[in-house]
Amino acid sequence: MKLINLFKIAIAAIKRNKMRSFLTMLGIVIGVGAVITMLAIGQGSNESIKSSISSMGTNLINVMPASMNRGGVQQGRTASQSLEEKDVYYLQKNCTLIDAVSPEMRSSGQVVFGSKNWPTDVGGGNEDYAVIKKYEIATGRFYTHQEIKSAAKVCVLGQTIVKNVFGEDADPIGQSIRFNNIPFKVIGTFKEKGNNTFGQDQDDMILMPYSTIMKRITRETHLRSIVISAKYEDKITETSTEIEELLRQSHKLKEAEDNDFDIRTQEELISNFSSISQMLLVLLGSISAISLVVGGIGIMNIMYVSVTERTREIGLRLAIGGKGKDILMQFLLEAILLSVIGGLIGVLLGYIVSNTIEGIMNWPILITTDSVLLSFIVCTFIGVFFGWYPARKASALDPIVALRHE
Amino acid sequence: MSNNNKIIEIKQLHKNYEVGDETVRALQGIDLTINKGEFVAIMGTSGSGKSTLLNILGCLDRASEGDYWLDGSNVKKLKKNQLAEIRSAKLGFVFQSYNLLPRTTALENVELPLLYNPSVSSKLRREKAEAALVAVGLKDRMKHLSNQMSGGQQQRVAIARSIVNDPVIILADEATGNLDTRTSFEIMALFQDLNEKGITIGFVTHESDIARFTKRNIVFRDGRIIKDIETENRARAIEAIRELKNEDYLLN
Ligand SMILES: Nc1ncnc2c1ncn2[C@@H]1O[C@H](COP(=O)(O)OP(=O)(O)OP(=O)(O)O)[C@@H](O)[C@H]1O
Ligand SMILES: [Mg+2]
């Protein structure tokens, strides 16, 4: 059979029954559209839940000096002086599984500006500290490497300090505050972080270079702790092991000696995180499976019914000289045309509906190429298959059997 | 008559249907020869096997036993696709229920068999379909949709479709079965007309009123031919229509 005749027959058949063709196509449009929308909602929520969990700092690792037992008397952590700046450099140089590492120093005291004063904490690290602890600059800037080296008297303020010491709308940049009677120049403010999981106000904090705290405030020679952000949230244990080995090397500990430091990971957060993301994965999987099955069955039904309904037509075409394969090709072509056009419209519909939902309901939406391809390919394939399959059966019938079909 | 004139030759044809445990012997040893130019009526009571035979002659169905030569080739040996080619090249079929594609013009319905024949160009296809419609008297109805036509007109379209491929024989199963007397006669007049132009026709009917317009009557009973005669007092359908008109006139 000539291809052009095949196209003529298929297109004529689609046009002849516009309503049936429309409904068939609608089945596919809705199938594809629904699957894309469901996946968009599912993946959107998944991403937003994941990112809000990881913003809590699941990849944060703390190293502290081990509390030492000297002659039976338990000593405080600060008393043991095992962490030094060289450990930070050693980790920076050798650790493969970490993103960033910074010393951490803390102190607390009274901040004074003019007639106002406020009790607060200061904390600080190197230039990576903001990234590791997820502080974001709101105005001004963070301190530089140079300022760390020179133990510059500069500071970055949390919003609670700004409000309570300077007032709601004041611009503190460039002003000089006093902390423990030492003047510090304000070089920036960081964005509101809100309360942490323990209910502490994370904005009631002043950041400055760790060297400044060490040399000018606490006059310590050793680090309070080292903070590290791991590269991979799902490899925290491996990362922690690597850090342990490197610190033992750096501290030249012998085989028999205990660690003179403690490594703390956010174990609880991590285990929550992995169980939630596991759950989301299952949820997302079932959503896609269910919507694909529902969409697929809809398409399957309408295709199957519309082809079966046309068995007599197939009988007629066979009776007037059509070959089984000509007729099969016709139905296949019809199914391909309807499925592909319907599928494309369905993709469009999926985008429109997802974006509408995002706009109206304010749900996070994520449309990935994978989900579009998956739904388009699966639905179109089902459409073509269930157009082809009953047609194959019908076109293999004896013409008289097909003609007599009720 | 020379062998070349034989269009259909069947020998000891049997057709059995298996229905559950039972075997229905619909045809029980049919011998039949139809020559070029014949106009054969196949008659008989309901269930006697007329349609069964016609479907086998039309290569829509296969015999259980026996041989069938159509225009020189033994149909029994042919595969599905070859049968389709035979139907496409040599046969025209007219059904009781017209079997036109709905919402499709008369012209497109008539063109349909030629669409399945790759050797016919689209220009030739159009010309042949138009000629066939002219031959059945539907010159003015070519672009009308099949479902917007009367039963008689639809059957004319179906007849045009059956002759468009220049078949060696047209097979019609109760082609007038759904039509009133006058329209039936008009269809018979058309068949007579086509037969006079040299087209061979096999025609199933159970009305002797219709069979009298043919040239040869074959009568079936229980799957066997019980009578095979030349039509007595062969009538001309055109005249029969004229008489009908007179009757109408008298009735009023
Ligand atoms: N598909 C089938 N399956 C089983 N039996 C069948 C089938 N088709 C026909 N028969 C049987 O074969 C016999 C002949 O049927 P056929 O249709 O040829 O009769 P017919 O002479 O055309 O009758 P009618 O004038 O009523 O159309 C009948 O007994 C019928 O029951
Ligand atoms: Mg019959």
Side-chain angles (χ1 to χ4, degrees), chain A residues 7-45:
Chain A
F7 265 92
K8 262 188 195 149
I9 290 177
I11 287 167
I14 289 175
K15 279 197 199 154
R16 183 163 57 247
N17 210 325
K18 293 204 176 68
M19 196 57 177
R20 183 182 58 211
S21 308
F22 170 75
L23 288 177
T24 310
M25 203 139 84
L26 191 68
I28 291 165
V29 168
I30 292 188
V32 174
V35 173
I36 289 180
T37 309
M38 294 293 279
L39 288 180
I41 294 172
Q43 282 173 325
S45 323

Side-chain angles (χ1 to χ4, degrees), chain B residues 65-80:
Chain B
E65 263 176 66
D67 286 308
Y68 170 24
W69 285 272
L70 173 68
D71 205 23
S73 45
N74 191 343
V75 169
K76 202 167 124 180
K77 299 201 176 112
L78 299 180
K79 302 218 168 60
K80 261 199 161 112

Side-chain angles (χ1 to χ4, degrees), chain A residues 155-214:
Chain A
C155 66
V156 179
L157 305 181
Q159 293 300 331
T160 306
I161 315 269
V162 175
K163 270 176 217 152
N164 287 292
V165 177
F166 289 90
E168 200 70 52
D169 292 319
D171 178 16
I173 310 277
Q175 303 282 6
S176 183
I177 57 162
R178 298 180 80 82
F179 184 82
N180 286 4
N181 275 326
I182 308 162
F184 290 91
K185 189 174 157 221
V186 179
I187 56 168
T189 63
F190 55 85
K191 286 187 189 158
E192 242 179 82
K193 281 187 78 177
N195 292 355
N196 70 7
T197 22
F198 310 105
Q200 282 171 335
D201 179 5
Q202 299 181 88
D203 301 308
D204 191 0
M205 172 68 83
I206 299 176
L207 301 181
M208 45 182 81
Y210 74 97
S211 49
T212 311
I213 302 176
M214 275 172 97

